[in-house]
Amino acid sequence: QVQLVESGGGLVQAGGSLRLSCAASGSMSSASVMGWYRQAPGKQRELVAESSSIGTTNYADSVKGRFTISRDRAKNTVYLQMNSLKPEDTAVYYCKVTLIRLGTQYWGQGTQVTVSS
């Protein structure tokens, strides 16, 4: 089992910045993908950004150039630095960990990000 604890959400004005953190504990393996998804009211959950244990990253087109994902492998923590936030970034942000060898996935409890115009 893997437990995920997220932090860093909140309310910010358009153009502002927030940094999300997700710390994983438990049976983490070295081969994993850690990422962030978001779900706005009435919409499906969507990928925001993800980072693999071999260093590759993937971003949604809507956040490229504004968001940066990073990992601290020693702490099993993934971060999402969000700059130039827009009202359309408002959503609940979820951390997700995929253990590649086992094919298992774990989700965090979600953290609310609200961007006011």
Side-chain angles (χ1 to χ4, degrees):
Q1 288 289 324
V2 172
Q3 295 78 42
L4 303 175
V5 177
E6 302 159 346
S7 60
L11 172 65
V12 64
Q13 288 188 332
S17 298
L18 283 174
R19 188 191 194 210
L20 305 183
S21 299
C22 174
S25 61
S27 302
M28 280 290 290
S29 70
S30 59
S32 63
V33 177
M34 300 184 77
W36 291 94
Y37 287 69
R38 67 186 180 188
Q39 188 166 18
K43 295 188 176 181
Q44 289 189 331
R45 192 172 297 188
E46 62 177 4
L47 172 70
V48 177
E50 61 185 358
S51 173
S52 76
S53 50
I54 60 172
T56 59
T57 57
N58 182 36
Y59 293 90
D61 288 342
S62 59
V63 307
K64 285 180 180 177
R66 300 188 297 122
F67 292 10
T68 302
I69 191 168
S70 61
R71 287 176 69 158
D72 184 330
R73 290 178 177 78
K75 296 181 179 179
N76 282 327
T77 299
V78 64
Y79 305 95
L80 185 68
Q81 178 66 44
M82 304 185 293
N83 298 328
S84 303
L85 282 160
K86 304 175 181 180
E88 51 264 44
D89 294 318
T90 295
V92 177
Y93 283 68
Y94 296 91
C95 176
K96 177 185 172 184
V97 168
T98 301
L99 302 183
I100 295 172
R101 291 193 179 94
L102 295 175
T104 52
Q105 301 175 353
Y106 300 89
W107 290 91
Q109 78 281 3
T111 185
Q112 177 70 46
V113 171
T114 302
V115 184
S116 63
S117 57

